[in-house]
Amino acid sequence: MARQGDVAEASEATTPITLKDKRRVSANGGSDVEEKTKPSQLAALMSKLGLDVGTVKTMLKGSLPPTIGIAMLQAPPVAAYFTTFGYLVPIISVLAMAVMPRGKFMMNLLLNALAVCVGSAVSMLALWSAIQARNNTTPPGSPPRAYSSSQSAVCAVWLFANIWFGNVVRAKLPAFNLPVITYSILVNISATFGPLMTTTAAAHVFVQQLLTAMLTALALALGVNLLVFPVSSRLVVFKELAGAIGLMRQLVSLQKAYLASLEPDAAFDAAMDTETFLTMAEGGTPQDHNEPRPTKDAEAAKALEETAAKMRELSGKLHADLPFAKRDLAWGKLDAKDLSEMYKLFRNVYIPVLGMNTIIDIFQRFSERPDWDSTDETPNGKDVERHVWNEVMRQLQEPFEILSVAIDQGLEHAAMCLELIPRPKKVTGKAGKPGPNTSDIDIEAQQQPEPGNPGFAGVLDNRIQAFYSRKGELLKKWVQERGISLDENISDHPYFRSERDQVQLYIILYMENLMHASGEAVQDLVDFADEKIEDGTMSKKRLIAPTLHRLRKWFIAVLSDEDASAEQTPDAMEAGANFVSFGGNYNRKKNPEHLPPETAWQRFGNGLRKISKFFGSQESAFGFRVACATMTIGIVAFLENTQRFFMEQRLVWALIIITIGMTMTSGQSFFGFLCRVGGTIVAMCLSLIIWYIVGGRIPGVIVFLWLSLFISYYFFVKLPRFLPAILIIIITQVLIIGYELQVLAIGKAAAERTGQPFYQTYLLAPYRVACVAGGSLVAFFWTIFPSPLTDRTWVRRDLSATLYLMANYFGVISSMLKSNVHGTAGDVNVPGTPAHQLFKAGRKIFGKVMMLIPSMSQHSEWQKWEPTVGGKFPRDAYKDILKRSTRIMAYLTLASYTMMHPTRVRFNYGEHIDERHACRPHPRGASQSLHSRSRDPSVSTTNREWMSALAEFIDVLKPTHHTILSTLTLLSNSLLSGQSLPPFLPLPRPYEMTRQLMRLRRSALPVTNMDEDDDGDDDMSDGAPIRMVDTRTGLDDYATTKRHGRARRNAAVANILDPRNIEQPGYAEFAVLQICTVLVCGDLEALLTAVSGLVGVVDFCFSFIESDSSLDIGRTEGKSKRH
């Protein structure tokens, strides 16, 4: 519910596209167009407030159901039927959330209707059993009494049990959050009024009125949702895709500006200056060295980071909203399969385009490191490095200029063809003003089709091919500057002078591969858009209904604890928290006291243990807290001396506030407590104004109430963080005004028949404030008592889950790499193949992390509201862990994408082939695994031999990959349990693979003459004198690798890094993997430092203290935490 303004947000997300188009038109058309499009003062004010069309529609849509409900209750027949329960109609219509997109609303409506029906049946059963308890404890012939202790006790038990069970379901199944709130309101009212019922007939009429009132409210919300500015979940996804494409175009433009902002020596200084690198690594800025100068490249880098953060956030929203769009019933053009394909192609563009942002991180990290060997530290050597790097960056700008134009126009064309953005109006007069370097960008001198027109795909292909022809010049220039020959006939040519040379080659190939992949991904998206036009999909609308298979998946998802966005979580009233299922193995502990069951009796015993585990679960504890909080005030309704006071002061509203306001974490609860009390005070003031400004006249009151609700929904849409206060403002206004109008409709005598005296508005409003304050205070107390679940604990748990998911993701990448080079992956586009299964698993993990990141950020904000008892919360440490986890996930995503989508075209640097007008050899989305490409008939024997050597080398790298995997898993478990880390941990060294291969090549000749069966120290197996053991089997992990013999393997892999192998299939992908691994290793080491600072390190050190002549054995029991 944190994103109930989905339409407005998606509409705002498209603003960068619209403004960009206007700027382009202004630039092309001249200053006269600029003057015509200058906004008026009113338009400027509306733009500043964010009052776009989508927001105004949402405001109107949200304010209609309660207004219609209150107006409907002024009709005498309606008021006579509902009597004193008429106020429930507008209140439940607010909680029904008519502003939701249709797909989410229909799911919520069905679950709400189910909750109301089940709640009515349970309420009737509770009231009947309570009446039977009264009858069985009343002596025959005695007159009926007003109070029955047995009846009150039965009602209290039913209330406690229902509140507990409902909130267990609410915490366990996130889709039932809002329905359980509705269910709890019905049960609260029934149970607290139950002691007053003396006959079953009265109870039946009572429950029937409640059921009818709530179903009427749901019907009002349904009518408004479907008839008033209907918004489908598909439209939300389309708007989000349009916004994402706009952000992506903006990102490419900023990347081009960043490269252009690098002055002649800025690139070298950013990439090679040690002090700058170390300062950035420690989280500082160059200003620490008395250089307070915000350079152009720094400003461009900041803009890039901000835009990338928006892209990641929008990607998480897309992942959460796409399932609802695919289940939606609509009259449209693109079906569920088209939506899935469109999202997949968008993601294929998003990953490499966003991955090009890592060039900033690369510039900061790949500096002059102390562990480089053979580094020339002379001034002349520095000048050489400066000259080489500047030439590389200069050569990079021109092909990127070509590519950026192609990506920008390709995205625009696809968005227009798929009707995500409107086609621009034709501008009379001069044609578009050509941009810089048009002689290089435009392939044909004649007029070319514009984006959105037929035939533009050919123009895009020509521009991409122009980029392919230019991008090879970057590598040629670097090879020329380094004096390296790519002639295969020269076998004794000197190898790289240093590791830096090899890493620079990796960086160049890394950037080229990302740009290449971006171009191909845009081509695929454009081809998909053109296909939808050619096959007639975009020519007419048709009825699109979800299939039975998709409905079955929806039903299973509702009854499972799968991922859920913020509007479905137990903390839905506290915007921003996403519920993510981390997988069955996360936090699963094998019982060391029980072996797996073998007999039927043992399995039955395991089932009994699950019952106790359920009652001791976190969900059950939350339900128990809510039930205790409810009974803290509810007990007043079941005692003889206080029952009348409960009814007169309408304390049932305090129970409803507890139901709405009870949250799982203390930070949210305290924040919500302040918001609800403050919101009720504001609602009290607004209610007094609404009522007395028109003197209590019904038409004026309804009009001013609608106006107040209309304005309140503006803040509902624009300030989701303050959703608790805004929701209480809306509901309290409806409750106060609705009650006063209800009394006018049914009369004072009928209103007081239930034992509730009539209060004037100026008395009723303060009483409501007192009820809300009391209920919120009780909810806050039971959130922190007896032991609070803090937002700080929640952040730690989510960070642990993020590390666990990243370890899982890295395992998927390792499997991808292994299956790719060994030829067992298959085609990623064919369902059922290992590659397709790995792709689906990786995409699911990626979506989970994208949902976790904003949730962690929100909980980090909420923890500020928690009172600090003792030491301060290490906010900086958690912030650093979150930042580095996000970066590691980005690097792993790049590596995964590169393995699953190797580039289809590889420019041959040894031959002069003009690909400027070459046809694309592969259809849209087609990609071959590295092994398949090496087995192609057109591939030479040398390529196949090199691929076999690469497969051998991948087996050699397994221990390095396993070290990363094991470290991430250990850090995740340590954060989750709070247990200290061991004193020593193996970490992969950056460039270790490069160092080993370079050492191996230097000794390649003598190594090849070694005996095949030499079983000497095999330091290539794991890079260190240790055994890597698979804990699942207890076997050496590299045993299969050693069977091949060290000598033959060394001979095979010795020349893998030879620059003459650049054109081999997999070389560029290996370079990307190496760069990503290096970046991961750097952040992994920093993660280890940060986590050890939080949980401590086990210390078994022994030190001799001379002053005391004693032996100090660590600290308490040999274990300490170092901070």
Side-chain angles (χ1 to χ4, degrees):
M1 204 164 69
R3 299 196 326 267
Q4 293 311 314
D6 280 311
V7 179
E9 287 187 17
S11 178
E12 290 172 2
T14 61
T15 302
I17 302 177
T18 306
L19 293 178
K20 185 173 182 179
D21 290 339
K22 287 184 178 180
R23 287 194 297 266
R24 180 163 55 84
V25 172
S26 299
N28 294 340
S31 59
D32 54 337
V33 180
E34 237 178 76
E35 293 176 0
K36 292 180 182 179
T37 58
K38 184 178 180 180
S40 63
Q41 292 184 354
L42 179 61
L45 178 62
M46 293 182 65
S47 177
K48 184 177 181 180
L49 294 176
L51 278 174
D52 52 17
V53 176
T55 301
V56 174
K57 288 181 178 179
T58 303
M59 293 164 59
L60 179 61
K61 194 170 185 177
S63 62
L64 282 180
T67 306
I68 294 174
I70 286 181
M72 180 181 68
L73 290 171
Q74 304 314 304
V78 178
Y81 179 84
F82 289 113
T83 62
T84 58
F85 295 111
Y87 71 94
L88 285 176
V89 174
I91 290 177
I92 299 301
S93 69
V94 172
L95 294 176
M97 295 296 164
V99 294
M100 279 184 174
R102 186 170 58 232
K104 294 182 180 181
F105 174 82
M106 294 303 296
M107 183 188 77
N108 191 61
L109 177 72
L110 293 176
L111 297 180
N112 264 321
L114 177 65
V116 169
C117 294
V118 172
S120 300
V122 172
S123 296
M124 189 64 215
L125 178 61
L127 294 180
W128 176 84
S129 61
I131 292 172
Q132 294 304 310
R134 170 189 280 268
N135 295 336
N136 293 334
T137 56
T138 301
S142 61
R145 294 175 298 174
Y147 176 79
S148 171
S149 59
S150 299
Q151 185 178 15
S152 297
V154 170
C155 288
V157 171
W158 275 103
L159 176 62
F160 185 91
N162 275 274
I163 295 300
W164 171 80
F165 178 76
N167 283 277
V168 169
V169 174
R170 176 186 175 190
K172 184 67 176 176
L173 303 176
F176 281 86
N177 175 55
L178 290 176
V180 166
I181 290 178
T182 305
Y183 175 89
S184 300
I185 291 175
L186 194 154
V187 171
N188 274 318
I189 295 175
S190 300
T192 53
F193 276 83
L196 303 178
M197 304 291 172
T198 57
T199 64
T200 304
H204 181 270
V205 172
F206 177 84
V207 173
Q208 186 178 14
Q209 286 181 337
L210 284 178
L211 174 64
T212 307
M214 291 193 168
L215 291 180
T216 302
L218 295 179
L220 281 178
L222 174 63
V224 171
N225 183 271
L226 297 182
L227 301 178
V228 180
F229 304 125
V231 176
S232 67
S233 296
R234 293 162 50 87
L235 179 61
V236 172
V237 169
F238 290 151
K239 292 294 185 181
E240 288 175 348
L241 279 170
I245 288 176
L247 285 175
M248 203 147 30
R249 295 173 64 187
Q250 183 181 0
L251 192 65
V252 173
S253 176
L254 290 172
Q255 288 170 347
K256 182 171 66 174
Y258 175 73
L259 290 177
S261 68
L262 295 177
E263 299 175 357
D265 294 332
F268 178 82
D269 293 338
M272 309 306 290
D273 183 65
T274 307
E275 294 182 358
T276 302
F277 171 76
L278 294 177
T279 303
M280 293 293 183
E282 294 170 1
T285 63
Q287 297 181 6
D288 299 332
H289 298 278
N290 298 323
E291 295 181 7
R293 49 180 183 87
T295 58
K296 291 182 179 180
D297 56 306
E299 293 176 354
K302 183 180 179 181
L304 271 175
E305 291 298 329
E306 292 175 352
T307 307
K310 293 178 182 178
M311 272 297 306
R312 283 189 287 266
E313 181 182 359
L314 195 54
S315 176
K317 290 181 180 180
L318 267 171
H319 176 80
D321 291 334
L322 187 63
F324 292 97
K326 291 159 68 175
R327 302 168 191 152
D328 205 355
L329 178 68
W331 180 257
K333 299 178 180 179
L334 298 173
D335 57 19
K337 291 184 178 180
D338 293 331
L339 291 179
S340 297
E341 183 70 11
M342 186 162 53
Y343 174 72
K344 184 184 77 171
L345 295 174
F346 158 76
R347 186 174 177 271
N348 288 349
V349 180
Y350 155 78
I351 291 175
V353 169
L354 192 63
M356 286 189 284
N357 268 24
T358 56
I359 191 64
I360 303 173
D361 197 17
I362 291 174
F363 280 172
Q364 294 175 359
R365 293 197 190 202
F366 290 87
S367 66
E368 192 172 353
R369 299 170 57 95
D371 54 345
W372 294 116
D373 60 357
S374 304
T375 302
D376 189 359
E377 296 293 342
T378 64
N380 186 46
K382 287 269 190 178
D383 293 338
V384 172
E385 292 290 337
R386 185 185 304 274
H387 174 73
V388 171
W389 196 254
N390 287 336
E391 283 296 320
V392 167
M393 296 309 301
R394 188 178 65 82
Q395 292 291 333
L396 176 65
Q397 290 188 18
E398 188 174 353
F400 190 82
E401 172 76 19
I402 300 173
L403 181 67
S404 63
V405 173
I407 292 177
D408 182 80
Q409 295 189 349
L411 290 173
E412 184 181 12
H413 173 81
M416 288 180 184
C417 292
L418 296 173
E419 300 181 2
L420 299 178
I421 61 175
R423 295 178 182 269
K425 297 180 180 179
K426 295 183 179 180
V427 180
T428 59
K430 296 181 180 180
K433 181 180 176 181
N437 298 327
T438 52
S439 59
D440 297 333
I441 298 173
D442 294 333
I443 306 302
E444 299 177 358
Q446 60 185 8
Q447 184 67 28
Q448 297 175 343
E450 292 292 327
N453 296 332
F456 176 76
V459 177
L460 177 68
D461 288 347
N462 288 337
R463 285 179 175 159
I464 296 294
Q465 295 300 332
F467 160 73
Y468 293 156
S469 66
R470 294 294 181 89
K471 76 183 187 72
E473 298 176 2
L474 176 63
L475 187 57
K476 290 179 180 178
K477 187 66 178 179
W478 181 84
V479 169
Q480 178 183 353
E481 294 290 341
R482 286 299 180 195
I484 299 173
S485 174
L486 300 182
D487 189 353
E488 295 183 0
N489 297 325
I490 303 178
S491 59
D492 57 347
H493 193 276
Y495 203 57
F496 296 109
R497 296 180 305 165
S498 65
E499 297 160 22
R500 175 176 292 152
D501 291 351
Q502 181 70 65
V503 173
Q504 283 185 354
L505 175 61
Y506 285 161
I507 294 174
I508 294 171
L509 291 175
Y510 174 83
M511 292 187 293
E512 281 195 347
N513 197 80
L514 288 181
M515 290 191 293
H516 195 152
S518 301
E520 288 185 350
V522 170
Q523 284 180 304
D524 289 343
L525 183 60
V526 168
D527 287 350
F528 170 78
D530 288 344
E531 285 177 10
K532 295 295 104 178
I533 291 180
E534 291 172 2
D535 62 15
T537 301
M538 304 303 297
S539 61
K540 61 180 180 179
K541 294 184 178 181
R542 61 190 186 280
L543 181 64
I544 298 174
T547 61
L548 292 177
H549 173 69
R550 199 164 299 282
L551 291 177
R552 190 183 306 114
K553 289 177 63 178
W554 169 78
F555 180 76
I556 295 174
V558 168
L559 299 179
S560 65
D561 56 350
E562 279 298 311
D563 305 346
S565 52
E567 51 269 23
Q568 302 168 333
T569 66
D571 303 321
M573 302 302 171
E574 313 291 344
N578 290 335
F579 183 90
V580 178
S581 174
F582 307 132
N585 290 325
Y586 178 72
N587 200 22
R588 175 183 290 177
K589 297 180 180 179
K590 188 175 181 180
N591 195 327
E593 301 172 359
H594 295 273
L595 293 174
E598 297 178 353
T599 64
W601 178 252
Q602 290 177 349
R603 285 189 287 271
F604 175 74
N606 271 8
L608 291 179
R609 286 168 49 214
K610 289 181 179 179
I611 296 177
S612 61
K613 182 180 179 181
F614 168 76
F615 282 104
S617 65
Q618 183 178 349
E619 293 82 5
S620 178
F622 174 69
F624 183 78
R625 287 174 186 264
V626 180
C628 289
T630 301
M631 291 305 298
T632 301
I633 297 179
I635 192 65
V636 179
F638 306 118
L639 300 178
E640 184 176 6
N641 296 330
T642 56
Q643 188 179 73
R644 183 176 179 180
F645 174 80
F646 183 92
M647 294 299 171
E648 290 180 351
Q649 305 305 323
R650 301 164 175 82
L651 295 186
V652 67
W653 184 243
L655 302 185
I656 295 175
I657 288 297
I658 291 174
T659 300
I660 296 176
M662 198 77 178
T663 57
M664 297 183 71
T665 58
S666 56
Q668 298 176 64
S669 183
F670 185 67
F671 179 75
F673 168 70
L674 297 179
C675 285
R676 289 182 183 92
V677 174
T680 308
I681 294 174
V682 173
M684 176 189 69
C685 298
L686 291 174
S687 300
L688 294 176
I689 294 173
I690 293 169
W691 185 262
Y692 289 108
I693 197 172
V694 293
R697 292 179 176 84
I698 295 177
V701 169
I702 294 177
V703 170
F704 273 89
L705 175 62
W706 168 82
L707 180 61
S708 178
L709 296 178
F710 179 77
I711 297 174
S712 299
Y713 269 95
Y714 168 80
F715 300 99
F716 185 94
V717 174
K718 295 299 181 181
L719 300 176
R721 183 182 178 188
F722 295 96
L723 192 57
I726 300 166
L727 197 62
I728 287 297
I729 289 173
I730 295 172
I731 292 178
T732 304
Q733 290 180 83
V734 170
L735 182 63
I736 295 174
I737 302 301
Y739 173 79
E740 295 293 341
L741 293 178
Q742 175 182 282
V743 173
L744 293 179
I746 65 176
K748 182 178 179 182
E752 293 181 341
R753 192 174 301 163
T754 58
Q756 296 180 345
F758 170 72
Y759 291 122
Q760 294 291 340
T761 307
Y762 63 86
L763 290 177
L764 181 64
Y767 285 164
R768 293 303 183 195
V769 174
C771 284
V772 171
S776 299
L777 182 61
V778 170
F780 174 69
F781 173 80
W782 280 103
T783 301
I784 64 175
F785 178 84
S787 176
L789 173 61
T790 65
D791 281 280
R792 297 166 183 178
T793 303
W794 198 290
V795 169
R796 178 168 59 85
R797 189 207 70 166
D798 281 356
L799 280 175
S800 168
T802 301
L803 296 178
Y804 169 81
L805 290 173
M806 287 194 301
N808 195 350
Y809 199 39
F810 192 82
V812 171
I813 294 172
S814 298
S815 300
M816 286 179 185
L817 182 60
K818 181 179 178 181
S819 60
N820 242 325
V821 298
H822 286 88
T824 59
D827 190 349
V828 68
N829 297 307
V830 178
T833 60
H836 184 75
Q837 296 297 328
L838 288 171
F839 170 74
K840 288 180 62 178
R843 183 177 60 182
K844 189 173 183 179
I845 297 172
F846 174 82
K848 290 176 183 290
V849 176
M850 289 298 102
M851 293 177 67
L852 264 178
I853 290 174
S855 178
M856 286 187 290
S857 300
Q858 190 62 56
H859 281 290
S860 297
E861 292 297 320
W862 281 330
Q863 62 83 23
K864 298 176 182 179
W865 294 90
E866 293 178 342
T868 300
V869 181
K872 293 182 179 180
F873 176 69
R875 186 178 297 111
D876 294 337
Y878 279 96
K879 185 177 180 181
D880 183 62
I881 294 175
L882 176 60
K883 179 184 70 174
R884 296 189 183 279
S885 300
T886 305
R887 291 203 310 213
I888 289 177
M889 190 63 195
Y891 305 143
L892 294 182
T893 303
L894 279 176
S896 170
Y897 180 87
T898 304
M899 293 299 103
M900 298 305 296
H901 301 85
T903 51
R904 297 186 292 263
V905 180
R906 186 67 62 191
F907 186 82
N908 191 334
Y909 300 104
E911 301 176 12
H912 299 284
I913 299 177
D914 184 13
E915 295 188 5
R916 187 178 296 269
H917 300 283
C919 297
R920 296 174 58 192
H922 300 283
R924 172 179 61 81
S927 62
Q928 295 176 295
S929 67
L930 303 178
H931 183 272
S932 300
R933 287 161 58 185
S934 68
R935 293 296 184 267
D936 192 273
S938 61
V939 176
S940 64
T941 305
T942 304
N943 289 355
R944 295 172 185 171
E945 293 176 353
W946 187 88
M947 198 65 194
S948 300
L950 181 62
E952 294 282 348
F953 181 57
I954 294 303
D955 288 333
V956 173
L957 297 182
K958 283 169 58 180
T960 301
H961 290 178
H962 294 343
T963 303
I964 297 176
L965 183 65
S966 301
T967 304
L968 285 172
T969 306
L970 180 61
L971 293 179
S972 172
N973 290 334
S974 183
L975 265 181
L976 180 65
S977 64
Q979 295 293 325
S980 301
L981 290 171
F984 303 101
L985 281 177
L987 283 178
R989 294 177 62 196
Y991 316 109
E992 186 61 26
M993 294 179 288
T994 303
R995 291 189 182 93
Q996 291 183 5
L997 286 174
M998 291 183 69
R999 287 195 295 267
L1000 180 59
R1001 191 185 189 282
R1002 294 189 188 106
S1003 57
L1005 183 58
V1007 168
T1008 55
N1009 293 331
M1010 293 177 61
D1011 184 59
E1012 261 312 298
D1013 299 324
D1014 183 11
D1015 291 328
D1017 294 336
D1018 194 359
D1019 57 353
M1020 282 294 294
S1021 297
D1022 54 6
I1026 59 173
R1027 292 173 58 204
M1028 182 66 71
V1029 178
D1030 188 338
T1031 54
R1032 296 164 295 185
T1033 61
L1035 301 176
D1036 290 353
D1037 188 60
Y1038 57 88
T1040 56
T1041 304
K1042 293 184 68 175
R1043 289 200 305 264
H1044 297 289
R1046 177 184 180 188
R1048 181 171 59 84
R1049 188 184 61 213
N1050 288 359
V1053 303
N1055 295 316
I1056 277 186
L1057 298 186
D1058 194 310
R1060 289 170 293 190
N1061 291 324
I1062 289 174
E1063 285 308 308
Q1064 301 292 350
Y1067 194 99
E1069 285 78 11
F1070 173 77
V1072 173
L1073 182 64
Q1074 172 72 324
I1075 291 295
C1076 291
T1077 303
V1078 169
L1079 296 172
V1080 168
C1081 289
D1083 278 322
L1084 190 61
E1085 185 175 353
L1087 268 182
L1088 179 61
T1089 303
V1091 173
S1092 64
L1094 294 175
V1095 302
V1097 177
V1098 176
D1099 191 356
F1100 295 111
C1101 63
F1102 297 84
S1103 59
F1104 182 73
I1105 305 176
E1106 296 183 358
S1107 59
D1108 297 332
S1109 299
S1110 62
L1111 184 67
D1112 180 25
I1113 308 177
R1115 296 184 185 176
T1116 304
E1117 298 181 358
K1119 179 179 177 180
S1120 69
K1121 291 190 176 183
R1122 294 179 176 175
H1123 299 281

